[in-house]
Amino acid sequence: MYSAFGCQETNDPSTSFDKDIEKALIAATLDSFNVAAARADYDRYFGFYTDNATFNGTDATENWDKAAFMAWSKPIFDKGKAWSFTAIKRNIYFGKHPDMAWFDELLSTQMKICRGSGVMVKVGNEWKVQQYVLSITAPNTILDSIIPMKAPIEDSLVKAWGK
């Protein structure tokens, strides 16, 4: 039985689903995804995304569909070095549909610890990134010093976006 999202129900007895195996496959996919970026392998990196994927970056204005993210990233990849992220802690979750999962991970990056999170969908036998969200973490003990630095920029965005 398929839902409106095209995901197969887990209660279908004809579906073989081993959560541990699928988690291992997703983890391997995410690790390979990060290696492709570190090696500036543009085609391989973007091959991990679905055709209609979205990417949300650390800047509030970075909310791109795959084509826009590819265009923005191309000059960076063309320099031979993109970004280097290594997962230091990762959680993977499944709901009712075995061909959709979500994850959150802490990453060691050139920006120090970041959080990556997103949605994975199984396309054929491969897990693909449907949505990726990259966030910079900020220790609570220094938030009071960070907020004044970002306030002028983000206050203008809030005003421009009409909220």
Side-chain angles (χ1 to χ4, degrees), residues 101-114:
W102 60 97
F103 67 92
D104 63 82
E105 57 188 0
L106 293 177
L107 302 161
S108 176
T109 81
Q110 64 274 16
M111 299 174 283
K112 300 304 170 199
I113 295 175
C114 287

Side-chain angles (χ1 to χ4, degrees), residues 33 45-46 49 52-66 68-69 72-73 83 85 103 107 111 114-119 129-136 161:
F33 171 74
Y45 177 78
F46 283 101
Y49 287 93
N52 61 347
T54 59
F55 178 90
N56 301 100
T58 58
D59 189 296
T61 64
E62 296 174 333
N63 184 351
W64 297 312
D65 63 20
K66 182 179 179 180
F69 185 44
W72 179 86
S73 299
W83 42 87
F85 298 170
F103 67 92
L107 302 161
M111 299 174 283
C114 287
R115 183 180 314 280
S117 61
V119 176
V129 176
Q130 178 69 51
Q131 179 189 44
Y132 191 85
V133 179
L134 180 64
S135 306
I136 295 175
W161 292 333

Side-chain angles (χ1 to χ4, degrees), residues 89-109:
K89 183 178 179 186
R90 179 180 288 144
N91 299 298
I92 299 169
Y93 310 94
F94 294 93
K96 293 181 179 180
H97 308 288
D99 56 352
M100 185 167 61
W102 60 97
F103 67 92
D104 63 82
E105 57 188 0
L106 293 177
L107 302 161
S108 176
T109 81

Side-chain angles (χ1 to χ4, degrees), residues 20-88:
D20 292 332
I21 289 173
E22 298 304 321
K23 280 186 177 185
L25 290 171
I26 291 169
T29 298
L30 290 169
D31 289 342
S32 296
F33 171 74
N34 288 332
V35 168
R39 293 182 179 163
D41 188 339
Y42 182 84
D43 292 331
R44 181 156 169 74
Y45 177 78
F46 283 101
F48 286 105
Y49 287 93
T50 63
D51 291 339
N52 61 347
T54 59
F55 178 90
N56 301 100
T58 58
D59 189 296
T61 64
E62 296 174 333
N63 184 351
W64 297 312
D65 63 20
K66 182 179 179 180
F69 185 44
M70 290 176 76
W72 179 86
S73 299
K74 184 78 166 104
I76 297 167
F77 278 77
D78 285 349
K79 291 179 183 176
K81 186 175 181 192
W83 42 87
S84 182
F85 298 170
T86 303
I88 52 179

